[in-house]
Amino acid sequence: MNHSQWKTRRTRKLLGESVEESSAYVEAGYAFALGQAVHDRRTELGLSQTELARRAGMTQSQISGIEGGNSVPTLPLLTRLAKALDASLTIDLDGDTSAFAFTAHDGGDPGDLQPGPVCAGPTA
């Protein structure tokens, strides 16, 4: 393929073309969406990364890594994060879309749903 034939992934999607996405690309999208949900809930509570880390029994650099999409926490760690954020974590992985939301325990508004990557399935 020469340069004049090359199109960005976004351009191909906008043109309605099928776009194959690697599993690494999809996983990175999940990590970024989860990180954004953690960041949004933390800032909603007015907590610093250091304070959230203290509450969750983690380090500030671990929180930074999660919020930056550089690491994906284990289920036990997600449980500790949700407790430290005084919220329930809802993870919706439904086919070609995903969403992560922290919902306050006090019945407050849920954290914004942060969509993960949209994965194009096989076309017939």
Side-chain angles (χ1 to χ4, degrees):
M1 169 184 305
N2 66 38
H3 190 273
S4 65
Q5 295 171 323
W6 183 82
K7 297 177 191 168
T8 66
R9 175 185 315 273
R10 182 176 183 276
T11 301
R12 291 194 320 256
K13 281 185 177 182
L14 290 172
L15 292 172
E17 296 177 11
S18 175
V19 178
E20 293 289 325
E21 294 174 339
S22 71
S23 60
Y25 180 85
V26 172
E27 290 172 16
Y30 293 154
F32 281 113
L34 175 62
Q36 186 65 54
V38 171
H39 174 269
D40 291 347
R41 179 64 182 154
R42 177 180 64 78
T43 56
E44 180 181 310
L45 292 172
L47 300 175
S48 66
Q49 287 183 346
T50 302
E51 178 59 20
L52 176 56
R54 186 193 65 73
R55 288 181 175 201
M58 300 170 64
T59 65
Q60 180 275 327
S61 63
Q62 287 174 306
I63 298 296
S64 178
I66 292 167
E67 287 187 1
N70 299 323
S71 67
V72 178
T74 62
L75 290 175
L77 197 69
L78 286 173
T79 302
R80 289 194 345 238
L81 270 174
K83 184 175 179 180
L85 291 167
D86 192 27
S88 298
L89 172 61
T90 301
I91 302 173
D92 182 9
L93 304 173
D94 186 18
D96 56 354
T97 62
S98 65
F100 302 85
F102 284 96
T103 306
H105 284 149
D106 64 2
D109 293 332
D112 292 333
L113 287 179
Q114 299 300 320
V118 176
C119 307
T123 55

mmCIF file of all heavy atoms in Angstrom, residues 83-110:
data_model
loop_
_atom_site.group_PDB
_atom_site.id
_atom_site.type_symbol
_atom_site.label_atom_id
_atom_site.label_comp_id
_atom_site.label_asym_id
_atom_site.label_seq_id
_atom_site.Cartn_x
_atom_site.Cartn_y
_atom_site.Cartn_z
ATOM 1 N N LYS A 83 -14.736 0.444 46.998
ATOM 2 C CA LYS A 83 -14.982 0.735 48.411
ATOM 3 C C LYS A 83 -14.341 2.067 48.801
ATOM 4 O O LYS A 83 -14.963 2.894 49.477
ATOM 5 C CB LYS A 83 -14.434 -0.393 49.290
ATOM 6 C CG LYS A 83 -14.721 -0.213 50.750
ATOM 7 C CD LYS A 83 -14.257 -1.404 51.556
ATOM 8 C CE LYS A 83 -14.551 -1.162 53.035
ATOM 9 N NZ LYS A 83 -14.120 -2.292 53.857
ATOM 10 N N ALA A 84 -13.105 2.304 48.351
ATOM 11 C CA ALA A 84 -12.407 3.553 48.667
ATOM 12 C C ALA A 84 -13.097 4.759 48.035
ATOM 13 O O ALA A 84 -13.020 5.868 48.557
ATOM 14 C CB ALA A 84 -10.958 3.467 48.191
ATOM 15 N N LEU A 85 -13.780 4.534 46.915
ATOM 16 C CA LEU A 85 -14.507 5.605 46.230
ATOM 17 C C LEU A 85 -15.955 5.698 46.699
ATOM 18 O O LEU A 85 -16.739 6.460 46.148
ATOM 19 C CB LEU A 85 -14.454 5.399 44.712
ATOM 20 C CG LEU A 85 -13.076 5.597 44.080
ATOM 21 C CD1 LEU A 85 -13.066 5.060 42.647
ATOM 22 C CD2 LEU A 85 -12.683 7.068 44.118
ATOM 23 N N ASP A 86 -16.307 4.903 47.730
ATOM 24 C CA ASP A 86 -17.656 4.876 48.287
ATOM 25 C C ASP A 86 -18.691 4.724 47.179
ATOM 26 O O ASP A 86 -19.636 5.509 47.065
ATOM 27 C CB ASP A 86 -17.925 6.136 49.116
ATOM 28 C CG ASP A 86 -19.203 6.017 49.937
ATOM 29 O OD1 ASP A 86 -19.589 4.880 50.286
ATOM 30 O OD2 ASP A 86 -19.839 7.055 50.200
ATOM 31 N N ALA A 87 -18.468 3.701 46.354
ATOM 32 C CA ALA A 87 -19.334 3.515 45.193
ATOM 33 C C ALA A 87 -19.370 2.055 44.778
ATOM 34 O O ALA A 87 -18.528 1.253 45.181
ATOM 35 C CB ALA A 87 -18.816 4.359 44.028
ATOM 36 N N SER A 88 -20.351 1.756 43.976
ATOM 37 C CA SER A 88 -20.430 0.464 43.305
ATOM 38 C C SER A 88 -19.872 0.652 41.906
ATOM 39 O O SER A 88 -20.082 1.694 41.286
ATOM 40 C CB SER A 88 -21.881 -0.010 43.189
ATOM 41 O OG SER A 88 -22.444 -0.176 44.460
ATOM 42 N N LEU A 89 -19.170 -0.351 41.416
ATOM 43 C CA LEU A 89 -18.627 -0.294 40.062
ATOM 44 C C LEU A 89 -19.454 -1.189 39.166
ATOM 45 O O LEU A 89 -19.649 -2.366 39.457
ATOM 46 C CB LEU A 89 -17.165 -0.748 40.036
ATOM 47 C CG LEU A 89 -16.529 -0.909 38.647
ATOM 48 C CD1 LEU A 89 -16.530 0.406 37.873
ATOM 49 C CD2 LEU A 89 -15.120 -1.467 38.784
ATOM 50 N N THR A 90 -19.965 -0.599 38.099
ATOM 51 C CA THR A 90 -20.699 -1.368 37.099
ATOM 52 C C THR A 90 -19.846 -1.443 35.848
ATOM 53 O O THR A 90 -19.388 -0.413 35.350
ATOM 54 C CB THR A 90 -22.049 -0.691 36.760
ATOM 55 O OG1 THR A 90 -22.811 -0.583 37.961
ATOM 56 C CG2 THR A 90 -22.815 -1.489 35.721
ATOM 57 N N ILE A 91 -19.624 -2.654 35.383
ATOM 58 C CA ILE A 91 -18.866 -2.877 34.152
ATOM 59 C C ILE A 91 -19.818 -3.533 33.168
ATOM 60 O O ILE A 91 -20.372 -4.592 33.449
ATOM 61 C CB ILE A 91 -17.648 -3.780 34.395
ATOM 62 C CG1 ILE A 91 -16.730 -3.169 35.443
ATOM 63 C CG2 ILE A 91 -16.899 -4.046 33.084
ATOM 64 C CD1 ILE A 91 -15.591 -4.066 35.881
ATOM 65 N N ASP A 92 -20.027 -2.886 32.048
ATOM 66 C CA ASP A 92 -20.938 -3.391 31.025
ATOM 67 C C ASP A 92 -20.130 -3.717 29.776
ATOM 68 O O ASP A 92 -19.658 -2.824 29.081
ATOM 69 C CB ASP A 92 -22.002 -2.344 30.716
ATOM 70 C CG ASP A 92 -23.021 -2.828 29.696
ATOM 71 O OD1 ASP A 92 -23.009 -4.026 29.354
ATOM 72 O OD2 ASP A 92 -23.820 -1.999 29.254
ATOM 73 N N LEU A 93 -19.919 -4.998 29.544
ATOM 74 C CA LEU A 93 -19.222 -5.473 28.352
ATOM 75 C C LEU A 93 -20.255 -6.198 27.511
ATOM 76 O O LEU A 93 -20.575 -7.347 27.771
ATOM 77 C CB LEU A 93 -18.066 -6.399 28.735
ATOM 78 C CG LEU A 93 -17.037 -5.810 29.692
ATOM 79 C CD1 LEU A 93 -16.044 -6.875 30.138
ATOM 80 C CD2 LEU A 93 -16.328 -4.638 29.065
ATOM 81 N N ASP A 94 -20.789 -5.502 26.543
ATOM 82 C CA ASP A 94 -21.894 -6.034 25.754
ATOM 83 C C ASP A 94 -21.525 -6.043 24.277
ATOM 84 O O ASP A 94 -21.725 -5.056 23.571
ATOM 85 C CB ASP A 94 -23.139 -5.184 25.990
ATOM 86 C CG ASP A 94 -24.376 -5.762 25.313
ATOM 87 O OD1 ASP A 94 -24.372 -6.951 24.967
ATOM 88 O OD2 ASP A 94 -25.335 -4.995 25.130
ATOM 89 N N GLY A 95 -20.987 -7.158 23.836
ATOM 90 C CA GLY A 95 -20.664 -7.286 22.424
ATOM 91 C C GLY A 95 -19.608 -6.310 21.973
ATOM 92 O O GLY A 95 -18.454 -6.403 22.358
ATOM 93 N N ASP A 96 -20.017 -5.321 21.179
ATOM 94 C CA ASP A 96 -19.035 -4.416 20.596
ATOM 95 C C ASP A 96 -18.935 -3.067 21.306
ATOM 96 O O ASP A 96 -18.340 -2.144 20.793
ATOM 97 C CB ASP A 96 -19.315 -4.209 19.109
ATOM 98 C CG ASP A 96 -20.717 -3.706 18.836
ATOM 99 O OD1 ASP A 96 -21.508 -3.623 19.792
ATOM 100 O OD2 ASP A 96 -21.028 -3.408 17.677
ATOM 101 N N THR A 97 -19.503 -2.955 22.503
ATOM 102 C CA THR A 97 -19.361 -1.728 23.284
ATOM 103 C C THR A 97 -19.049 -2.094 24.734
ATOM 104 O O THR A 97 -19.254 -3.226 25.155
ATOM 105 C CB THR A 97 -20.629 -0.854 23.254
ATOM 106 O OG1 THR A 97 -21.707 -1.599 23.838
ATOM 107 C CG2 THR A 97 -20.983 -0.427 21.849
ATOM 108 N N SER A 98 -18.572 -1.129 25.470
ATOM 109 C CA SER A 98 -18.307 -1.338 26.889
ATOM 110 C C SER A 98 -18.519 -0.022 27.622
ATOM 111 O O SER A 98 -18.460 1.047 27.020
ATOM 112 C CB SER A 98 -16.874 -1.818 27.108
ATOM 113 O OG SER A 98 -15.960 -0.823 26.723
ATOM 114 N N ALA A 99 -18.782 -0.125 28.937
ATOM 115 C CA ALA A 99 -18.940 1.066 29.760
ATOM 116 C C ALA A 99 -18.544 0.727 31.186
ATOM 117 O O ALA A 99 -18.722 -0.407 31.636
ATOM 118 C CB ALA A 99 -20.377 1.566 29.714
ATOM 119 N N PHE A 100 -18.003 1.717 31.891
ATOM 120 C CA PHE A 100 -17.596 1.577 33.279
ATOM 121 C C PHE A 100 -18.204 2.743 34.044
ATOM 122 O O PHE A 100 -18.084 3.882 33.610
ATOM 123 C CB PHE A 100 -16.065 1.638 33.402
ATOM 124 C CG PHE A 100 -15.379 0.583 32.581
ATOM 125 C CD1 PHE A 100 -15.102 0.796 31.238
ATOM 126 C CD2 PHE A 100 -15.039 -0.620 33.145
ATOM 127 C CE1 PHE A 100 -14.485 -0.186 30.468
ATOM 128 C CE2 PHE A 100 -14.409 -1.602 32.390
ATOM 129 C CZ PHE A 100 -14.131 -1.380 31.050
ATOM 130 N N ALA A 101 -18.865 2.453 35.177
ATOM 131 C CA ALA A 101 -19.498 3.533 35.943
ATOM 132 C C ALA A 101 -19.385 3.256 37.430
ATOM 133 O O ALA A 101 -19.621 2.130 37.875
ATOM 134 C CB ALA A 101 -20.959 3.667 35.554
ATOM 135 N N PHE A 102 -19.015 4.287 38.173
ATOM 136 C CA PHE A 102 -19.044 4.230 39.630
ATOM 137 C C PHE A 102 -20.322 4.929 40.069
ATOM 138 O O PHE A 102 -20.577 6.064 39.689
ATOM 139 C CB PHE A 102 -17.829 4.937 40.234
ATOM 140 C CG PHE A 102 -16.564 4.139 40.124
ATOM 141 C CD1 PHE A 102 -15.680 4.358 39.084
ATOM 142 C CD2 PHE A 102 -16.269 3.148 41.054
ATOM 143 C CE1 PHE A 102 -14.525 3.617 38.968
ATOM 144 C CE2 PHE A 102 -15.110 2.403 40.946
ATOM 145 C CZ PHE A 102 -14.236 2.635 39.903
ATOM 146 N N THR A 103 -21.130 4.237 40.874
ATOM 147 C CA THR A 103 -22.373 4.795 41.384
ATOM 148 C C THR A 103 -22.224 4.974 42.888
ATOM 149 O O THR A 103 -21.928 4.013 43.611
ATOM 150 C CB THR A 103 -23.560 3.850 41.089
ATOM 151 O OG1 THR A 103 -23.588 3.570 39.698
ATOM 152 C CG2 THR A 103 -24.870 4.482 41.514
ATOM 153 N N ALA A 104 -22.415 6.195 43.353
ATOM 154 C CA ALA A 104 -22.254 6.511 44.771
ATOM 155 C C ALA A 104 -23.182 5.661 45.621
ATOM 156 O O ALA A 104 -24.328 5.431 45.253
ATOM 157 C CB ALA A 104 -22.529 7.991 44.999
ATOM 158 N N HIS A 105 -22.691 5.210 46.763
ATOM 159 C CA HIS A 105 -23.509 4.411 47.673
ATOM 160 C C HIS A 105 -24.650 5.199 48.282
ATOM 161 O O HIS A 105 -25.673 4.642 48.620
ATOM 162 C CB HIS A 105 -22.652 3.829 48.794
ATOM 163 C CG HIS A 105 -21.832 2.677 48.349
ATOM 164 N ND1 HIS A 105 -20.617 2.388 48.890
ATOM 165 C CD2 HIS A 105 -22.032 1.729 47.397
ATOM 166 C CE1 HIS A 105 -20.108 1.321 48.310
ATOM 167 N NE2 HIS A 105 -20.948 0.908 47.396
ATOM 168 N N ASP A 106 -24.483 6.504 48.400
ATOM 169 C CA ASP A 106 -25.514 7.315 49.040
ATOM 170 C C ASP A 106 -26.696 7.597 48.111
ATOM 171 O O ASP A 106 -27.531 8.424 48.419
ATOM 172 C CB ASP A 106 -24.921 8.630 49.545
ATOM 173 C CG ASP A 106 -24.390 9.513 48.426
ATOM 174 O OD1 ASP A 106 -24.505 9.157 47.246
ATOM 175 O OD2 ASP A 106 -23.857 10.580 48.733
ATOM 176 N N GLY A 107 -26.742 6.924 46.966
ATOM 177 C CA GLY A 107 -27.841 7.136 46.035
ATOM 178 C C GLY A 107 -27.624 8.316 45.118
ATOM 179 O O GLY A 107 -28.524 8.717 44.402
ATOM 180 N N GLY A 108 -26.401 8.872 45.112
ATOM 181 C CA GLY A 108 -26.103 10.013 44.252
ATOM 182 C C GLY A 108 -26.029 9.596 42.796
ATOM 183 O O GLY A 108 -26.280 8.455 42.432
ATOM 184 N N ASP A 109 -25.688 10.546 41.960
ATOM 185 C CA ASP A 109 -25.593 10.283 40.530
ATOM 186 C C ASP A 109 -24.454 9.334 40.241
ATOM 187 O O ASP A 109 -23.403 9.403 40.862
ATOM 188 C CB ASP A 109 -25.337 11.588 39.756
ATOM 189 C CG ASP A 109 -26.519 12.522 39.840
ATOM 190 O OD1 ASP A 109 -27.651 12.022 40.000
ATOM 191 O OD2 ASP A 109 -26.302 13.751 39.758
ATOM 192 N N PRO A 110 -24.654 8.429 39.271
ATOM 193 C CA PRO A 110 -23.562 7.537 38.899
ATOM 194 C C PRO A 110 -22.476 8.329 38.197
ATOM 195 O O PRO A 110 -22.732 9.385 37.626
ATOM 196 C CB PRO A 110 -24.221 6.542 37.940
ATOM 197 C CG PRO A 110 -25.402 7.270 37.396
ATOM 198 C CD PRO A 110 -25.849 8.203 38.489
#
